[in-house]
Amino acid sequence: MTFNPVLDGLKNYEAGKPIELVVRDYGIAPQDVIKLASNENPRGCSLGVLAAMQQESTRAHLYPDDSMYELKDGLASRFGVKKENVIIGAGSDQVIGFALHAKANPNQAILMAGVTFAMYEIYGKQTGATILKTPSKMHNLEDFKQMLATHKGAIGVLFLCLPNNPLGEALDADEVKLFLREVDPNILVVVDGAYQEYASYKDQTKALDPRALIEEFPNVLYLGTFSKAYGLGGMRCGYGIGEAGLIHTLHKLRPPFNITTLSLKAGIEALKDEGFVARCMEENFSEMKRYEAEARALGFDFIESYTNFITLEFPEGKIASKIAQSLLEKGIIIRDLSAYGMNAVRVTIGTPEQNSRFFENFKRVYC
C-alpha cells in the first residue's frame, strides 16, 4: 500500500513519557512517580471546574453544543473581542492544523524559530510546504527579518511561540508589534500564546493583547489553551482568536463536535475562576526561583523562563540524556532536549513537594 509521499520521513510527535509506562518498566508504585515533563499544571484545575464536570457527566451520551456559544461568549468577554473572532479546537494544536491546512501548500514555506513547538513542523510537512528555521534557537526578530528578506514572496505562514516551548523565553509585546508591521500582510502569522498567562503574570511588558493584535493585524491568528494555566490538559480544549473572515475560513476545516461535552463545560467554568489561575502563577514563579538558585549553586546555565517550566543547560561532561534517564529510573519524568541539538533538559515546575524530591535526586545524579 502506498501513502501520501509528504509523509515520507515525517517523524511522530513524541509526547512526554506517561506515568503508566514508568510504573511498568521500572516497577515503581504509581504514587511514587512524578511527572515533570509535559508542562501540565501540577495543582490540577479549579474545584469549581471539577464539580461542574461531575454534574455534566450525566449528559455524556449527548453531543456537545456545536455552536460552543457559551464558551465563545466567555472568551470574547475575557479578551474584549466578538464571538465571530473565536474558534474552538481540541487543544490549540488542532487550531494550528486548521491554520496550516487553510494557508500552507507545497509552493510555499513556513518560518519558525530554530527550536520551538514540534507540531508546527509536523503539521507543516503534512501540507507539503518547506520548513524554514532561524539560525538562532530562540526567537531573534532580526533573524526572522533576514529570513523574510531572503525568501521574499515564498513564505506563507510564520510562527511566533511567545513564550516559547520548549525553551521558555519571551519577547516584549512592543517589539512584536513593530516586527509585525514589517511582515507582508499576505503572510499568516500564528502567535502561539499557550503560556501567555504565565508571561503576563511575571512581566507585563511580555503581555500580548489578542484584541489589539487582530485589530491592527488581520493576518494574525492568536492561539490560547486551557491545558496549562487552567490545569485542563486532559480535556483538550484550546482556541484561536482572529479577524472574522480568517476565523470563518478556519471553520470550514473544523469537524463537527470537535471537543467533548465535558471539555466544553470545563472551559466554560474555568474562565469563571481567575483567582485559581492567579494562585497557580504565584506558586509557579516562587518555586521557579528554587530551580534558578540550584543552577547557580551547581554552576550550570538556565534560560530565563516566562512559563511553567525551566530549561536547564549543562556543561560538557554532563550529558543531558543520561541525567534524564537516571532520574526516570528513580520515578522522575523530565524532558530531554537532546533531539533539539541541545545538551539540556526541560523541567515542569511542580508542587513544592515534587520539586524538593527532584532537587534531592538531581543532585545525586548530577554531582
Side-chain angles (χ1 to χ4, degrees), residues 115 137 166 312 314 318-324 335-346:
V115 174
K137 289 182 170 62
L312 309 177
F314 302 134
K318 301 292 185 179
I319 311 302
S321 57
K322 292 183 179 180
I323 292 170
R335 194 63 177 263
D336 173 22
L337 299 183
S338 301
Y340 292 92
M342 301 177 67
N343 187 35
V345 297
R346 187 191 70 190

Side-chain angles (χ1 to χ4, degrees), residues 22 42 49 69 109 147 178 184 202 238 260 269 297 325 340:
V22 176
V49 171
Y69 177 92
M147 296 287 282
L178 289 173
D184 182 339
K202 182 175 182 177
T260 70
E269 293 300 318
Q325 180 61 34
Y340 292 92

Side-chain angles (χ1 to χ4, degrees), residues 278-352:
R279 291 190 295 274
C280 290
M281 299 298 106
E282 182 179 6
E283 184 173 295
N284 177 77
F285 287 110
S286 174
E287 287 297 301
M288 187 179 289
K289 291 177 182 176
R290 297 176 64 190
Y291 282 84
E292 295 171 349
E294 287 291 340
R296 294 188 185 101
L298 294 173
F300 60 82
D301 294 329
F302 62 88
I303 297 173
E304 184 176 5
S305 175
Y306 295 84
T307 67
N308 65 343
F309 61 83
I310 189 167
T311 297
L312 309 177
E313 299 182 290
F314 302 134
E316 187 176 352
K318 301 292 185 179
I319 311 302
S321 57
K322 292 183 179 180
I323 292 170
Q325 180 61 34
S326 296
L327 288 171
L328 184 65
E329 293 170 6
K330 298 178 183 298
I332 301 172
I333 313 170
I334 62 174
R335 194 63 177 263
D336 173 22
L337 299 183
S338 301
Y340 292 92
M342 301 177 67
N343 187 35
V345 297
R346 187 191 70 190
V347 186
T348 304
I349 307 300
T351 63

